[in-house]
Amino acid sequence: MNITMTNRQGKTLSVTVSGQENAPVIIFSNSLGTDKNMWQPQVVALEQQFKVVTYDTRGHGQSDVIEHTTLQNLAEDVIDILNGLNIEKAHFCGISMGGITALWLGIYHADRFLSITVANSAAKIWTTDGWNTRADAVIQNGLADLVTTTHSRWFSERFDYQHNALAQRTIQSLAVTPAAGYAESCRALAQADLTAEIKNIHIPTLIIAGAFDPVTTVADGIFMQQQIQGSELVEIEASHLSNIEQPELFNQTFIKFVESVQ
């Protein structure tokens, strides 16, 4: 079921709900420059057992571009979705940008989540100057240059992304992401730094790191695991979009964790 929802700023978010109506809820959050369809392997694996919610992060897919976006805004969109769907608590899984969104939710809205999964992410992703420079470049020149090189960041050399339909569709989703939406997320990430705060997370937390990820490294995962009491770190032989490159292993890891929390 595809739904258009309104957030607290009066803007629309594109949401998809599938699976079992009265089952535990899992909500997935996409990475920068992608859309909710990147979670297709997880939705297929989980919808027979869970209620599964995916959504296009603001400025991506079919969701509105919203000016002056912050990490807090990205996270509060999730709370607005839960409220709009009358969901009291959910398991939350985010990758990259969605992963740091998971951390913010774990710090400030832990009461709404059974668990968080932080995949291919970090408490501080890249650098402030790097993100702001990229945002400026995208506004000026569009996303074409990023599209031609993104496969080297998203997928490892071991993965035949050229013959994987979902990988190709995900790269295409970057090509059609609004430049303004991408840039707004870049600026949000530029200011997002939770390194001093993640020690305050006390709900069940799974951290998934990609062994070949050049963007958010295994070292980033180790740091988070050391800071978040009781958290679990699993390393997967993949690059930045580990849920697409290694879907079976990602699913096994995630399902085992979620079932341990219930």
Side-chain angles (χ1 to χ4, degrees), residues 52-113:
V52 182
V53 179
T54 58
Y55 70 100
D56 290 333
T57 300
R58 56 168 63 198
H60 293 66
Q62 300 302 308
S63 291
D64 281 349
V65 176
I66 308 176
E67 293 183 350
H68 310 303
T69 287
T70 65
L71 176 59
Q72 180 174 341
N73 294 145
L74 296 175
E76 287 177 343
D77 284 347
V78 179
I79 302 301
D80 293 343
I81 291 169
L82 294 181
N83 290 343
L85 295 173
N86 296 312
I87 296 168
E88 183 179 353
K89 285 193 173 187
H91 298 278
F92 184 87
C93 176
I95 191 164
S96 191
M97 178 173 64
I100 196 169
T101 301
L103 293 174
W104 197 98
L105 291 168
I107 296 165
Y108 295 106
H109 282 285
D111 60 308
R112 300 300 300 272
F113 297 95

Side-chain angles (χ1 to χ4, degrees), residues 131-147:
W131 285 123
N132 285 329
T133 299
R134 180 181 292 184
D136 292 342
V138 166
I139 290 297
Q140 183 173 352
N141 304 314
L143 286 160
D145 288 345
L146 282 176
V147 172

